[in-house]
């Protein structure tokens, strides 16, 4: 069941109504039933894996007492990571081995949806218990709900025991302000997903499939669109997840903070998929030694962390390259930091002005977008082909002359609408960047104006949904991981 | 919490009102094309397909006139015989589309006989494949249901067939008013046809000629009751389809159709593949009245129709 399926439109209000109608002590149980039902709608078979992972981590955390602590943790990590590696990379690995040893490696493994997310969440909890940051949860229902909480199970945010589990333990009660904010965020998430990400998805998929027909400038244009697609897709999902959780009275981790306003790559990773970055920092980078063991070790740790991040995203070599590129960006950034500052000082470059920040943002975006080529292309070699075209067959004048953008499968009026929608997201992000709360401003407006905007907003999204209906609309990109 | 629920309900009611307004706009007038454009559903009303294609033929067979011969058939029949209609005022040519299935052909025959006093002959002129058409989730609704629901003629089918159709298309969508709303609005068509294609499955016939047997027999009985001669002939078929037609023979020989029209598959006129544009309909330089007439003279050569039909 996807957030934008007819089933969910019925499921969500029903779960909310019953949740608030029942006594507080049963609320977690009800939400757990709802979460398992939600997940089972994707696959009953994979629900068993979810349950087993939950059981294993629950028992491990409870068993983590005395001198066997380390052994239990190691066993739990090995068992869970083996499951993750087998399900996620088994098919890919068998294929590679098949090529090397010349045998037919026809095995098919369906990766459970959301596995990478709930697995990290559960492992984070076990490590937190080991580090005594969290007390092992005795109540299985509460813990199972923490792992399977339906707003976050498919694509995160990857929650922490110190955050979500704590709220589950304390319980929630109805908050008018939270519920209202939640609904607004759900609608905004829909807007990002349906009106922007899905529209761009059709263009990107078509262009990547037929890239031989396009000039480098058009490919570059589509690569930039992809950066917007993946942002609006994932941020759209995260906003919906955040909003749904808020309706139940829960706060989940904010996953995005205007990532394309980042001034450098380090800043980008503080704004993009924050829950994963933080998880990798706390459970991979710091245990490896972080920046405490000298420069070379820091660089190695950074590279390793980003390679793990790449591998977490998928089982193709392209993801490895994508992670590696971000690692290189970070390492290169640190190595050159001093010399760059020296140059800036000698040239008397004013770094505290709007134009310099814009320059930094453009450079950061270009680097991030370059890495997205590997992320989005069908394979590593497809990505190389796209890059080759961008650099060696740019052909700007030719593309303008034949209006190549019109050959991307969308009419001129649709382009105008798409850019209008992108501008709305851009303005909202800019206001958030300036710490201006749109909701607070909106709350001060006349009730007729507010309701008019709400109604028209939902109507526009509905019409947009109908526009995409019947086409192979893109699923949420991050649910594939 | 109560205030919140009240506001949510009010919001849903207002939104529902807006949706109804958009729905009404999508049915007629200027709003129809605007809604179609903004919902990306222009293609659903752009072509003359489905009910728009079939309903004129329902009107045609219902029209009380002096014709005494009815020709029914599929789109190949339509392609070959429709140009002859202006020359043949005594004959009602109503070749339509195989997608209306044999149920649709029966309704056309029944309506014609009801509205004409001295009917002498009914000719069924199909490609062999057209006899196997079932209630599909692709073209089935637009052809086999929509035009007949809108003209209140679905009731001419037997209860068992209606039940089978309901299982595929949903009884609600076979009502006259609902079929009309789906027909008139591009967005309604887009939603319903996509949902149908995604969530429903076509009717699987117990054997390949189940529907054809039942409804050609009904046409046969209708003719018998009214002293009408029934003929069934095959449209020309591409040479490359010879094998598949041969393969159909064993199943055909077990059907009721074989007892009345044993030569139907034997007398198929095979034509060079090059004459067909899409493998089914004549195309290119072969899509001319002269060429059709040449073939028709061969196919109808042994029938009384040749004495009646004017080609020039």
């Amino acid at each position: 069941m996807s957030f934008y399926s007819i089933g969910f439109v019925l499921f969500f209000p029903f779960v909310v109504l019953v949740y608030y109608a029942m006594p507080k002590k049963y609320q977690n149980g009800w939400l757990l039933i709802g979460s398992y039902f939600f997940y089972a709608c994707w696959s009953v078979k994979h629900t068993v894996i979810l349950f087993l992972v939950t059981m294993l981590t629950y028992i491990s955390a409870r068993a983590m007492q005395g001198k066997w602590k380390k052994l239990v943790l190691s066993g739990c990590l090995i068992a869970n990571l083996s499951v993750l590696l087998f399900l996620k990379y088994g098919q890919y690995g068998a294929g590679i081995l098949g090529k090397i040893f010349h045998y037919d490696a026809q095995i098919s493994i369906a990766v459970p949806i959301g596995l990478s997310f709930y697995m990290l969440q559960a492992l984070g909890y076990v490590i937190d218990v080991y580090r005594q940051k969290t007390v092992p949860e005795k109540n299985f229902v509460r813990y199972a709900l923490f792992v399977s909480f339906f707003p976050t199970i498919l694509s995160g945010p990857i929650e922490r025991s110190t955050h979500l589990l704590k709220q589950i333990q304390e319980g929630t009660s109805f908050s008018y302000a939270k519920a209202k904010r939640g609904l607004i965020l759900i609608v905004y998430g829909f807007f990002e997903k349906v009106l922007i990400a899905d529209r761009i998805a059709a263009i990107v998929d078509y262009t990547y499939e037929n890239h031989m027909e396009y000039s480098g400038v058009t490919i570059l244009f589509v690569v930039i669109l992809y950066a917007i697609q993946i942002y609006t897709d994932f941020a759209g999902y995260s906003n919906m997840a955040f909003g749904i959780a808020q309706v139940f009275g829960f706060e989940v981790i904010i996953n995005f903070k205007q990532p394309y306003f980042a001034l450098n790559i380090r800043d980008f990773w503080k704004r993009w998929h924050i829950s994963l970055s933080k998880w990798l920092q706390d459970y991979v980078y710091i245990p490896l030694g972080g920046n405490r063991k000298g420069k070379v070790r820091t660089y190695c740790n950074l590279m390793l962390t980003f390679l793990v991040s790449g591998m977490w995203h998928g089982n193709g070599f392209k993801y490895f390259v994508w992670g590696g590129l971000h690692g290189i960006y970070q390492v290169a950034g640190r190595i050159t930091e001093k010399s760059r500052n020296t140059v800036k000082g000698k040239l008397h470059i004013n770094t505290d002005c709007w134009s310099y920040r814009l320059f930094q943002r453009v450079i950061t975006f270009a680097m991030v977008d370059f890495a997205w080529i590997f992320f989005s292309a069908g394979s590593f070699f497809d990505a190389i082909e796209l890059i080759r075209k961008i650099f060696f067959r740019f052909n700007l004048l030719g593309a303008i002359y034949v209006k190549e953008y019109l050959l991307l499968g969308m009419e001129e009026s649709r382009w105008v609408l798409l850019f209008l929608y992108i501008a709305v997201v851009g303005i909202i992000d800019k206001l958030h960047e300036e710490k201006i709360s749109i909701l607070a401003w909106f709350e001060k407006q006349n009730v007729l104006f507010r309701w008019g905007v709400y109604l028209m907003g939902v109507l526009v999204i509905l019409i947009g949904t109908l526009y995409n209906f019947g086409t192979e609309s893109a699923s949420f990109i991050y649910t594939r991981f | 919490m109560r205030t919140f629920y009240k506001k949510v309900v009010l919001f849903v009611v207002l939104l529902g009102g807006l949706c109804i307004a958009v729905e009404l706009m999508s049915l007629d007038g200027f709003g129809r094309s605007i809604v179609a454009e903004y919902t990306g559903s222009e293609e659903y009303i752009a072509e003359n397909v489905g009910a728009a294609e079939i309903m004129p033929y329902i009107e045609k067979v219902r029209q009380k006139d002096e014709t005494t011969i009815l020709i029914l058939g599929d789109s190949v029949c339509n392609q070959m015989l429709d140009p002859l209609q202006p020359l043949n005022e005594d004959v009602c040519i109503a070749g339509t589309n195989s997608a209306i299935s044999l149920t649709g052909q029966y309704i056309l025959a029944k309506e014609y006989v009801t509205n004409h006093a001295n009917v002498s002959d009914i000719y069924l002129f199909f490609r062999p494949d057209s006899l196997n058409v079932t209630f599909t989730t692709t073209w089935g609704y637009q052809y086999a249901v929509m035009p007949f629901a809108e003209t209140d003629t679905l009731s001419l089918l037997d209860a068992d067939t209606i039940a089978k159709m309901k299982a595929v298309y949903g009884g609600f969508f076979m009502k006259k008013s609902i079929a009309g709303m789906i027909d008139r609005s591009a967005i309604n068509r887009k939603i319903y046809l996509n949902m149908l294609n995604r969530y429903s499955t076509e009717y699987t016939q117990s054997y390949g000629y189940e529907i054809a047997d039942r409804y050609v027999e009904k046409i046969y009985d209708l003719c018998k009751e009214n002293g009408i001669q029934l003929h069934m002939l095959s449209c020309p078929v591409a040479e490359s389809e010879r094998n598949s037609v041969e393969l159909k023979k064993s199943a055909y020989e077990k059907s009721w159709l074989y007892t009345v029209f044993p030569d139907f598959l034997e007398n198929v006129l095979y034509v060079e593949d090059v004459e067909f544009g899409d493998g089914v309909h004549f195309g290119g330089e072969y899509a001319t009245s002269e060429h059709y007439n040449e073939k028709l003279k061969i196919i109808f050569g042994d029938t009384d129709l040749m004495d009646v039909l004017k080609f020039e």
Side-chain angles (χ1 to χ4, degrees):
Chain A
M1 194 192 305
S2 165
F3 283 169
Y4 63 113
S5 62
I6 295 168
F8 192 77
V9 173
L10 303 171
F11 166 83
F12 177 50
F14 176 69
V15 176
V16 172
L17 282 172
V18 177
Y19 180 79
Y20 284 119
M22 61 175 35
K24 212 166 181 176
K25 60 179 175 177
Y26 299 125
Q27 283 181 336
N28 286 337
W30 170 245
L31 212 45
L32 178 65
I33 292 168
S35 295
Y36 265 74
F37 175 78
F38 175 81
Y39 193 77
C41 286
W42 288 93
S43 164
V44 176
K45 204 168 60 184
H46 291 160
T47 311
V48 177
I49 297 173
L50 168 68
F51 181 74
L52 290 177
V53 169
T54 309
M55 275 298 283
L56 184 63
T57 46
Y58 172 76
I59 293 167
S60 302
R62 296 292 315 271
M64 234 178 265
Q65 309 286 338
K67 58 180 177 177
W68 301 109
K69 221 169 133 177
K70 213 168 203 169
L71 191 70
V72 173
L73 175 71
S74 309
C76 178
L77 289 180
I78 290 168
N80 280 293
L81 289 175
S82 304
V83 171
L84 180 67
L85 288 171
F86 174 74
L87 291 173
K88 221 170 160 176
Y89 307 101
Q91 191 173 336
Y92 183 68
I96 291 175
L97 288 175
K99 273 184 192 163
I100 295 169
F101 297 109
H102 305 290
Y103 71 92
D104 186 20
Q106 289 288 340
I107 63 162
S108 173
I109 301 170
V111 184
I113 193 162
L115 174 75
S116 306
F117 291 91
Y118 71 72
M119 185 69 92
L120 292 198
Q121 194 160 306
L123 291 183
Y125 160 77
V126 175
I127 298 169
D128 281 350
V129 170
Y130 174 80
R131 290 176 178 171
Q132 293 180 328
K133 274 189 175 177
T134 291
V135 179
E137 173 57 60
K138 287 180 187 167
N139 187 318
F140 181 72
V141 172
R142 284 183 196 154
Y143 177 67
L145 176 60
F146 165 68
V147 179
S148 64
F149 188 47
F150 80 86
T152 62
I153 192 167
L154 301 182
S155 295
I158 301 162
E159 269 297 337
R160 297 301 185 84
S161 55
T162 47
H163 189 244
L164 182 64
L165 185 57
K166 205 173 154 209
Q167 293 176 63
I168 292 170
Q169 287 160 347
E170 287 165 2
T172 63
S173 41
F174 182 81
S175 153
Y176 180 88
K178 271 188 180 179
K180 184 178 168 185
R181 185 161 178 248
L183 290 181
I184 292 171
L185 276 171
I186 294 170
V187 172
Y188 184 57
F190 264 97
F191 170 77
E192 289 182 296
K193 170 67 180 158
V194 173
L195 296 184
I196 304 176
D198 283 356
R199 297 279 166 86
I200 298 178
I203 299 164
V204 171
D205 293 349
Y206 182 79
T207 313
Y208 276 24
E209 264 174 41
N210 305 286
H211 63 84
M212 297 305 286
E213 294 169 21
Y214 299 105
S215 62
V217 66
T218 304
I219 301 276
L220 176 65
F221 173 63
V222 172
V223 165
I224 293 170
L225 281 182
Y226 180 78
I228 299 168
Q229 181 203 341
I230 194 164
Y231 172 52
T232 47
D233 186 286
F234 196 20
Y237 174 88
S238 297
N239 278 325
M240 285 184 221
F242 196 94
I244 292 164
Q246 285 235 314
V247 173
F248 288 103
F250 292 101
E251 296 278 350
V252 295
I253 296 170
I254 292 172
N255 233 0
F256 292 91
K257 281 183 183 167
Q258 307 88 44
Y260 294 140
F261 282 91
L263 298 171
N264 52 52
I265 296 292
R266 204 192 294 187
D267 187 23
F268 175 78
W269 281 104
K270 285 178 187 162
R271 295 160 175 264
W272 179 276
H273 203 176
I274 297 165
S275 63
L276 175 70
S277 311
K278 198 81 183 61
W279 196 96
L280 289 171
Q281 182 188 314
D282 291 350
Y283 302 110
V284 179
Y285 179 69
I286 291 173
L288 283 171
N291 57 4
R292 305 184 305 274
K293 299 193 174 174
K295 278 185 181 172
V296 177
R297 189 68 191 271
T298 304
Y299 301 153
C300 289
N301 292 343
L302 274 171
M303 276 308 292
L304 259 173
T305 307
F306 277 97
L307 288 175
V308 168
S309 170
M311 283 178 68
W312 175 87
H313 280 86
N315 56 23
F317 181 62
K318 59 175 193 161
Y319 294 111
F320 192 76
V321 174
W322 173 79
L325 264 176
H326 275 279
I328 291 168
Y329 290 159
Q330 294 262 18
V331 172
R334 287 176 191 232
I335 290 172
T336 60
E337 194 170 13
K338 224 174 200 175
S339 44
R340 278 186 287 128
N341 286 339
T342 313
V343 170
K344 277 184 245 171
K346 283 191 175 165
L347 294 175
H348 303 291
I349 294 171
N350 179 10
T351 56
D352 190 24
C353 61
W354 175 83
S355 58
Y356 187 76
R357 280 195 295 275
L358 179 68
F359 168 75
Q360 282 181 300
R361 280 171 182 151
V362 170
I363 296 293
T364 308
F365 179 81
M367 289 165 78
V368 169
D369 204 20
F370 180 75
W372 282 141
I373 298 176
F374 290 94
F375 197 91
S376 57
S379 69
F380 171 75
F381 294 106
D382 286 350
I384 296 294
E385 179 58 27
L386 292 172
I387 293 165
R388 194 184 64 79
K389 269 208 132 168
I390 292 171
F391 284 102
F392 300 109
R393 291 196 185 166
F394 199 68
N395 195 14
L396 174 65
L397 293 177
I400 293 172
Y401 182 71
V402 297
K403 286 191 173 179
E404 212 171 67
Y405 65 94
L406 286 180
L407 304 176
L408 295 172
M410 205 157 74
E411 300 149 33
E412 227 155 340
S413 58
R414 294 272 147 208
W415 280 109
V416 173
L417 273 180
L418 178 63
F419 286 123
L420 185 75
Y421 298 145
I422 293 171
V424 169
V425 173
I427 290 166
I428 290 173
D429 273 9
K430 177 67 184 162
L431 292 171
H432 282 154
E433 187 67 10
E434 302 296 330
K435 310 262 184 292
I436 297 169
S437 167
I438 304 153
L439 282 178
W441 171 83
F442 201 63
E443 279 304 306
K444 290 176 195 158
Q445 305 308 309
N446 180 292
V447 66
L448 286 177
F449 173 78
R450 278 187 284 129
W451 276 64
V453 171
Y454 293 149
L455 281 167
M456 288 320 289
V458 175
L459 191 67
V460 165
I461 292 166
L462 279 178
I463 288 174
T465 310
L466 292 175
Y467 184 87
N468 298 345
F469 187 73
T471 57
E472 278 303 312
S473 161
S475 58
F476 286 105
I477 294 173
Y478 265 72
T479 53
R480 296 173 209 162
F481 307 136
Chain B
M1 192 159 23
R2 212 170 260 182
T3 318
F4 179 76
Y5 285 152
K6 275 183 192 168
K7 284 189 176 178
V8 169
V9 170
L10 178 64
F11 185 82
V12 170
V13 169
L14 289 173
L15 187 65
L18 274 175
C19 289
I20 290 169
V22 173
E23 165 64 24
L24 292 174
M25 263 178 78
S26 78
L27 294 174
D28 292 301
F30 184 57
R32 189 173 184 240
S33 53
I34 292 177
V35 175
E37 193 191 332
Y38 281 94
T39 52
S41 47
E42 303 100 313
E43 62 186 292
Y44 290 82
I45 49 168
E47 288 174 57
N48 184 32
V49 291
E53 182 187 330
I54 303 303
M55 279 163 70
Y57 289 97
I58 301 175
E59 292 306 314
K60 188 175 182 179
V61 296
R62 278 174 162 179
Q63 200 176 319
K64 290 182 169 45
D65 54 26
E66 298 307 312
T67 59
T68 55
I69 297 170
L70 171 68
I71 302 176
L72 297 172
D74 53 21
S75 55
V76 179
C77 164
N78 177 287
Q79 181 185 32
M80 296 177 77
L81 282 157
D82 236 29
L84 296 179
Q85 184 63 86
L87 304 169
N88 293 277
E89 287 175 359
D90 300 339
V91 183
C92 176
I93 299 172
T96 49
N97 196 305
S98 63
I100 70 169
S101 97
L102 263 300
T103 54
Q105 305 291 359
Y106 167 71
I107 293 171
L108 291 176
K110 176 88 176 162
E111 285 291 277
Y112 184 76
V113 172
T114 308
N115 290 289
H116 294 79
N118 303 311
V119 184
S120 63
D121 295 86
I122 293 180
Y123 287 85
L124 304 177
F125 189 40
F126 303 118
R127 278 169 46 80
D129 282 353
S130 300
L131 291 173
N132 305 115
V133 171
T134 183
F135 307 130
T136 67
T137 54
T138 48
W139 295 104
Y141 182 78
Q142 294 184 80
Y143 281 90
V145 177
M146 197 188 263
F148 302 104
E150 285 189 70
T151 50
D152 267 337
T153 47
L154 269 184
S155 54
L156 296 175
L157 304 178
D158 61 48
D160 181 49
T161 307
I162 294 282
K164 282 166 183 163
M165 285 176 144
K166 279 181 179 175
V168 178
Y169 305 113
F172 177 73
F173 301 101
M174 289 168 64
K175 291 182 195 297
K176 184 181 179 180
S177 56
I178 302 301
M181 284 174 83
I182 294 174
D183 188 15
R184 282 152 64 198
S185 158
I187 185 58
N188 288 351
R189 275 195 194 210
K190 183 177 182 177
I191 295 170
Y192 175 72
L193 296 177
N194 277 289
M195 296 284 264
L196 185 69
N197 201 236
R198 198 177 293 178
Y199 298 111
S200 187
T201 47
E202 69 174 32
Y203 173 66
T204 309
Q205 299 188 76
S206 56
Y207 61 100
Y209 294 94
E210 182 196 323
I211 296 171
D213 263 4
R214 184 179 291 197
Y215 281 93
V216 176
E217 189 176 354
K218 278 180 179 284
I219 297 173
Y220 178 82
D221 291 343
L222 180 73
C223 290
K224 213 170 159 185
E225 277 169 31
N226 294 278
I228 302 164
Q229 284 232 315
L230 179 66
H231 316 261
M232 189 166 88
L233 298 110
S234 169
C235 291
V237 170
E239 188 61 51
S240 60
E241 283 191 68
R242 188 185 284 271
N243 278 345
S244 71
V245 173
E246 288 296 318
L247 287 170
K248 283 179 188 291
K249 281 184 179 171
S250 65
Y252 184 75
E253 282 165 13
K254 288 174 196 153
S255 68
W256 175 88
L257 292 166
Y258 183 74
T259 59
V260 186
F261 305 107
D263 299 329
F264 177 71
L265 292 182
E266 297 301 331
N267 294 338
V268 174
L269 175 68
Y270 292 100
V271 178
E272 289 295 316
D273 285 19
V274 70
E275 295 189 16
F276 295 102
D278 56 1
V280 174
H281 303 93
F282 288 98
E285 59 184 288
Y286 301 98
T288 63
S289 291
E290 291 73 30
H291 191 70
Y292 304 152
N293 294 346
E294 195 185 297
K295 302 294 174 198
L296 289 171
K297 282 171 189 170
I298 299 169
I299 296 166
F300 290 104
D302 295 336
T303 65
D304 296 340
L305 190 65
M306 282 307 288
D307 304 332
V308 183
L309 217 53
K310 297 181 194 83
F311 292 96
E312 285 171 16

